[in-house]
Amino acid sequence: MELLNIKDLHVNAGNKEILKGLNLKINKGETHVIMGPNGAGKSTLANIILNNSQYKIVKGEIDFEGENINELKTDQRAKKGIFMSFQTPEEIPGISVMNFLKAAKNAKEEEPIKVFAFKKALEENMKKLNINTSYSARDLNVGFSGGEKKKNEILQMLMLKPKLAILDETDSGLDVDAIKTVSQGIKMYKNEENSVLIITHSSKILQGLNIDYVHILVNGKIVKTGTEELVNEIEKNGYSKYIDE
Protein backbone atom coordinates (compact mmCIF):
# COMPACT_ATOMS: atom_id res chain seq x y z
CA MET A 1 0.00 0.00 0.00
CA GLU A 2 1.35 3.41 -0.99
CA LEU A 3 2.63 5.62 1.82
CA LEU A 4 4.60 8.43 0.14
CA ASN A 5 4.40 9.52 -3.47
CA ILE A 6 6.48 12.44 -4.73
CA LYS A 7 5.71 13.55 -8.27
CA ASP A 8 7.78 15.90 -10.46
CA LEU A 9 9.01 17.85 -7.45
CA HIS A 10 10.85 21.13 -8.09
CA VAL A 11 12.18 22.89 -4.97
CA ASN A 12 14.06 26.16 -4.49
CA ALA A 13 16.27 27.37 -1.68
CA GLY A 14 16.08 31.13 -2.11
CA ASN A 15 16.43 31.72 -5.84
CA LYS A 16 18.38 28.52 -6.46
CA GLU A 17 16.64 25.43 -7.81
CA ILE A 18 17.77 22.37 -5.85
CA LEU A 19 15.31 19.62 -6.78
CA LYS A 20 14.57 19.51 -10.48
CA GLY A 21 11.73 17.13 -11.16
CA LEU A 22 12.25 14.44 -8.54
CA ASN A 23 10.00 11.38 -8.42
CA LEU A 24 9.89 8.89 -5.54
CA LYS A 25 7.33 6.35 -4.39
CA ILE A 26 7.53 4.49 -1.06
CA ASN A 27 5.08 1.78 -0.04
CA LYS A 28 4.32 0.66 3.50
CA GLY A 29 6.82 -1.87 4.81
CA GLU A 30 9.65 -0.68 2.57
CA THR A 31 13.13 0.59 3.37
CA HIS A 32 14.60 3.02 0.84
CA VAL A 33 18.11 4.46 0.70
CA ILE A 34 19.16 7.66 -1.03
CA MET A 35 22.81 8.25 -1.87
CA GLY A 36 24.48 10.94 -3.93
CA PRO A 37 27.33 13.43 -4.10
CA ASN A 38 27.44 16.54 -1.91
CA GLY A 39 25.03 19.21 -3.09
CA ALA A 40 22.84 16.77 -5.00
CA GLY A 41 19.72 17.69 -3.00
CA LYS A 42 19.48 14.81 -0.52
CA SER A 43 18.93 16.92 2.60
CA THR A 44 16.68 19.28 0.64
CA LEU A 45 14.43 16.31 -0.12
CA ALA A 46 14.29 15.32 3.55
CA ASN A 47 13.54 18.87 4.66
CA ILE A 48 10.83 19.56 2.09
CA ILE A 49 8.94 16.39 3.04
CA LEU A 50 8.63 17.84 6.55
CA ASN A 51 8.09 21.41 5.21
CA ASN A 52 11.23 23.25 6.32
CA SER A 53 10.44 26.92 5.64
CA GLN A 54 13.87 27.50 4.08
CA TYR A 55 12.72 25.55 1.04
CA LYS A 56 9.84 26.21 -1.32
CA ILE A 57 7.95 23.91 -3.66
CA VAL A 58 7.85 25.54 -7.09
CA LYS A 59 6.17 22.65 -8.87
CA GLY A 60 5.10 19.12 -8.13
CA GLU A 61 3.25 17.21 -5.45
CA ILE A 62 3.91 15.34 -2.21
CA ASP A 63 1.21 12.81 -1.35
CA PHE A 64 1.11 10.99 1.99
CA GLU A 65 -1.33 8.09 2.27
CA GLY A 66 -3.07 9.41 -0.83
CA GLU A 67 -3.45 12.98 0.48
CA ASN A 68 -1.68 16.00 -1.02
CA ILE A 69 0.27 17.53 1.87
CA ASN A 70 1.90 20.42 -0.03
CA GLU A 71 0.06 23.01 2.04
CA LEU A 72 0.30 21.31 5.44
CA LYS A 73 2.50 22.82 8.15
CA THR A 74 5.35 20.88 9.74
CA ASP A 75 3.40 20.00 12.90
CA GLN A 76 0.46 18.79 10.81
CA ARG A 77 2.74 16.51 8.79
CA ALA A 78 4.34 15.21 11.97
CA LYS A 79 0.92 14.44 13.42
CA LYS A 80 0.09 12.43 10.31
CA GLY A 81 3.10 10.26 11.05
CA ILE A 82 6.20 11.76 9.40
CA PHE A 83 9.39 11.86 11.46
CA MET A 84 12.84 13.18 10.64
CA SER A 85 16.15 12.57 12.36
CA PHE A 86 18.41 15.57 11.83
CA GLN A 87 22.08 15.70 10.88
CA THR A 88 22.73 18.13 13.75
CA PRO A 89 20.09 17.71 16.51
CA GLU A 90 19.25 20.90 18.40
CA GLU A 91 20.00 21.45 22.08
CA ILE A 92 16.96 22.58 24.09
CA PRO A 93 17.88 23.88 27.56
CA GLY A 94 15.17 23.68 30.21
CA ILE A 95 13.27 20.74 28.69
CA SER A 96 14.22 17.23 29.73
CA VAL A 97 14.37 14.31 27.33
CA MET A 98 11.40 12.71 29.08
CA ASN A 99 9.24 15.86 29.06
CA PHE A 100 10.08 16.53 25.42
CA LEU A 101 9.04 13.03 24.42
CA LYS A 102 5.88 13.18 26.54
CA ALA A 103 4.87 16.46 24.89
CA ALA A 104 5.63 15.11 21.41
CA LYS A 105 3.72 11.90 22.10
CA ASN A 106 0.72 13.79 23.49
CA ALA A 107 0.68 16.09 20.47
CA LYS A 108 0.65 13.09 18.13
CA GLU A 109 -1.88 10.91 19.96
CA GLU A 110 -5.60 11.60 20.08
CA GLU A 111 -5.85 10.47 23.71
CA PRO A 112 -3.59 11.45 26.65
CA ILE A 113 -0.74 9.03 27.13
CA LYS A 114 -0.59 6.69 30.11
CA VAL A 115 2.37 7.98 32.08
CA PHE A 116 3.41 4.71 33.73
CA ALA A 117 3.38 2.75 30.46
CA PHE A 118 5.22 5.62 28.74
CA LYS A 119 7.99 5.68 31.36
CA LYS A 120 8.37 1.90 31.17
CA ALA A 121 8.62 1.94 27.37
CA LEU A 122 11.10 4.82 27.51
CA GLU A 123 13.35 3.00 29.96
CA GLU A 124 13.23 -0.23 27.93
CA ASN A 125 14.11 1.55 24.68
CA MET A 126 16.94 3.48 26.32
CA LYS A 127 18.47 0.24 27.58
CA LYS A 128 18.20 -1.37 24.13
CA LEU A 129 19.97 1.65 22.60
CA ASN A 130 22.69 1.62 25.29
CA ILE A 131 21.59 5.03 26.59
CA ASN A 132 22.01 5.62 30.31
CA THR A 133 18.46 5.86 31.68
CA SER A 134 19.48 8.85 33.83
CA TYR A 135 19.69 10.85 30.60
CA SER A 136 15.88 11.01 30.50
CA ALA A 137 16.06 13.69 33.22
CA ARG A 138 18.73 15.75 31.42
CA ASP A 139 17.98 18.73 29.20
CA LEU A 140 17.43 17.62 25.61
CA ASN A 141 20.82 17.15 23.90
CA VAL A 142 22.54 19.66 26.24
CA GLY A 143 26.04 18.39 26.92
CA PHE A 144 25.40 15.25 24.86
CA SER A 145 28.15 13.94 22.61
CA GLY A 146 27.50 13.66 18.89
CA GLY A 147 26.79 9.96 19.23
CA GLU A 148 24.46 10.49 22.18
CA LYS A 149 22.49 13.09 20.22
CA LYS A 150 22.06 10.73 17.28
CA LYS A 151 21.01 7.83 19.52
CA ASN A 152 18.52 10.19 21.18
CA GLU A 153 16.99 10.85 17.74
CA ILE A 154 16.52 7.10 17.27
CA LEU A 155 14.98 6.94 20.75
CA GLN A 156 12.46 9.59 19.67
CA MET A 157 11.62 7.51 16.59
CA LEU A 158 10.99 4.41 18.70
CA MET A 159 8.79 6.28 21.17
CA LEU A 160 6.76 8.21 18.60
CA LYS A 161 6.31 5.26 16.21
CA PRO A 162 5.84 7.30 13.01
CA LYS A 163 4.54 5.86 9.77
CA LEU A 164 7.52 7.26 7.85
CA ALA A 165 10.95 7.79 9.40
CA ILE A 166 13.41 9.95 7.45
CA LEU A 167 16.98 9.53 8.68
CA ASP A 168 19.12 12.32 7.23
CA GLU A 169 22.74 11.21 7.60
CA THR A 170 22.07 10.01 11.14
CA ASP A 171 25.28 7.99 10.89
CA SER A 172 27.45 11.02 10.08
CA GLY A 173 30.43 11.33 12.43
CA LEU A 174 29.56 8.25 14.47
CA ASP A 175 31.99 5.56 15.56
CA VAL A 176 31.44 1.90 14.72
CA ASP A 177 29.62 1.05 17.97
CA ALA A 178 27.25 4.01 17.69
CA ILE A 179 26.43 3.12 14.07
CA LYS A 180 25.59 -0.43 15.17
CA THR A 181 23.26 0.99 17.83
CA VAL A 182 21.52 3.22 15.29
CA SER A 183 21.10 0.25 12.92
CA GLN A 184 19.69 -1.80 15.78
CA GLY A 185 17.19 0.98 16.49
CA ILE A 186 16.06 0.96 12.86
CA LYS A 187 15.48 -2.80 13.04
CA MET A 188 13.51 -2.37 16.28
CA TYR A 189 11.33 0.28 14.64
CA LYS A 190 10.71 -1.37 11.28
CA ASN A 191 7.54 -3.36 10.56
CA GLU A 192 5.14 -4.02 7.68
CA GLU A 193 3.06 -0.92 8.38
CA ASN A 194 5.81 1.71 8.42
CA SER A 195 8.64 2.78 6.13
CA VAL A 196 12.17 4.17 6.37
CA LEU A 197 13.98 6.60 4.10
CA ILE A 198 17.70 6.56 4.88
CA ILE A 199 19.93 9.29 3.47
CA THR A 200 23.58 8.35 3.80
CA HIS A 201 27.07 8.53 2.34
CA SER A 202 28.13 5.23 3.89
CA SER A 203 27.08 1.60 3.71
CA LYS A 204 27.92 0.93 7.38
CA ILE A 205 24.51 1.93 8.71
CA LEU A 206 22.87 -0.36 6.14
CA GLN A 207 24.58 -3.55 7.29
CA GLY A 208 22.06 -6.02 8.63
CA LEU A 209 19.07 -4.06 7.31
CA ASN A 210 16.70 -5.37 4.64
CA ILE A 211 16.96 -2.72 1.93
CA ASP A 212 14.26 -2.69 -0.74
CA TYR A 213 15.48 0.10 -3.00
CA VAL A 214 18.57 2.26 -3.40
CA HIS A 215 18.27 5.56 -5.28
CA ILE A 216 21.10 7.67 -6.67
CA LEU A 217 20.33 11.39 -6.49
CA VAL A 218 22.39 13.64 -8.75
CA ASN A 219 21.75 17.31 -9.56
CA GLY A 220 18.24 17.35 -8.11
CA LYS A 221 16.95 14.17 -9.74
CA ILE A 222 16.95 10.46 -9.04
CA VAL A 223 19.02 9.11 -11.92
CA LYS A 224 19.23 5.43 -10.93
CA THR A 225 17.21 3.04 -8.77
CA GLY A 226 18.36 -0.45 -7.86
CA THR A 227 18.88 -2.90 -5.04
CA GLU A 228 21.65 -3.28 -2.46
CA GLU A 229 24.15 -4.10 -5.20
CA LEU A 230 23.97 -0.43 -6.17
CA VAL A 231 25.48 0.50 -2.78
CA ASN A 232 28.45 -1.75 -3.46
CA GLU A 233 28.90 -0.20 -6.88
CA ILE A 234 28.95 3.31 -5.44
CA GLU A 235 31.38 2.29 -2.70
CA LYS A 236 33.71 0.92 -5.38
CA ASN A 237 33.34 3.40 -8.24
CA GLY A 238 31.79 6.58 -6.81
CA TYR A 239 29.23 8.75 -8.58
CA SER A 240 31.22 9.93 -11.61
CA LYS A 241 29.38 7.55 -13.95
CA TYR A 242 26.04 9.15 -13.03
CA ILE A 243 27.30 12.72 -12.89
CA ASP A 244 28.65 12.49 -16.43
CA GLU A 245 25.46 11.02 -17.91
Side-chain angles (χ1 to χ4, degrees):
M1 184 175 178
E2 181 184 297
L3 184 65
L4 180 74
N5 193 1
I6 297 175
K7 296 175 278 190
D8 192 28
L9 191 64
H10 294 252
V11 173
N12 282 13
N15 294 322
K16 184 178 181 180
E17 186 179 31
I18 307 295
L19 300 184
K20 306 174 182 180
L22 186 144
N23 295 284
L24 176 65
K25 183 177 179 180
I26 299 177
N27 293 318
K28 288 185 178 180
E30 292 180 345
T31 299
H32 288 239
V33 174
I34 290 187
M35 304 182 77
N38 290 331
K42 303 184 299 297
S43 289
T44 296
L45 173 62
N47 278 281
I48 200 66
I49 293 173
L50 206 56
N51 193 27
N52 184 322
S53 60
Q54 295 181 22
Y55 303 91
K56 181 181 179 183
I57 295 177
V58 177
K59 180 185 176 184
E61 187 172 323
I62 303 175
D63 291 346
F64 190 72
E65 292 192 303
E67 176 188 357
N68 185 326
I69 62 170
N70 282 32
E71 302 302 322
L72 293 188
K73 297 177 181 178
T74 299
D75 63 325
Q76 293 172 317
R77 298 186 191 197
K79 194 166 186 177
K80 285 187 175 294
I82 301 176
F83 170 89
M84 179 174 166
S85 172
F86 296 92
Q87 287 187 41
T88 309
E90 292 287 334
E91 296 184 3
I92 306 180
I95 299 179
S96 70
V97 170
M98 180 179 288
N99 286 337
F100 174 83
L101 285 170
K102 279 167 58 180
K105 188 84 170 171
N106 270 321
K108 183 175 178 289
E109 304 292 334
E110 293 184 1
E111 296 182 2
I113 63 171
K114 297 178 180 179
V115 177
F116 180 78
F118 172 84
K119 287 183 177 179
K120 183 179 179 182
L122 177 60
E123 185 172 305
E124 289 175 352
N125 283 323
M126 292 182 82
K127 288 179 179 177
K128 289 175 183 177
L129 293 174
N130 296 314
I131 301 173
N132 191 316
T133 54
S134 67
Y135 275 44
S136 65
R138 290 180 56 176
D139 289 356
L140 184 66
N141 290 326
V142 176
F144 286 24
S145 69
E148 288 167 343
K149 288 180 180 180
K150 298 296 182 70
K151 286 195 284 187
N152 190 51
E153 294 276 286
I154 299 302
L155 175 64
Q156 292 174 36
M157 178 183 74
L158 292 176
M159 293 300 296
L160 296 176
K161 299 178 181 178
K163 296 174 183 177
L164 173 65
I166 304 167
L167 307 182
D168 185 14
E169 298 192 28
T170 304
D171 54 336
S172 177
L174 298 185
D175 61 29
V176 174
D177 290 335
I179 289 175
K180 286 181 179 178
T181 300
V182 168
S183 295
Q184 177 63 24
I186 296 171
K187 284 188 275 189
M188 289 164 57
Y189 157 77
K190 192 70 193 62
N191 61 43
E192 292 301 312
E193 291 300 314
N194 59 30
S195 302
V196 183
L197 178 60
I198 302 171
I199 297 170
T200 184
H201 281 290
S202 170
S203 64
K204 291 179 182 177
I205 193 175
L206 308 178
Q207 293 175 8
L209 300 180
N210 294 319
I211 306 300
D212 294 291
Y213 297 100
V214 177
H215 310 279
I216 305 302
L217 179 57
V218 174
N219 194 28
K221 289 184 177 182
I222 290 175
V223 297
K224 177 75 173 180
T225 294
T227 56
E228 286 186 76
E229 286 80 11
L230 194 51
V231 177
N232 299 327
E233 179 197 318
I234 294 300
E235 292 262 307
K236 183 178 179 181
N237 302 317
Y239 300 106
S240 57
K241 171 183 175 181
Y242 300 103
I243 293 172
D244 295 338
E245 287 183 349

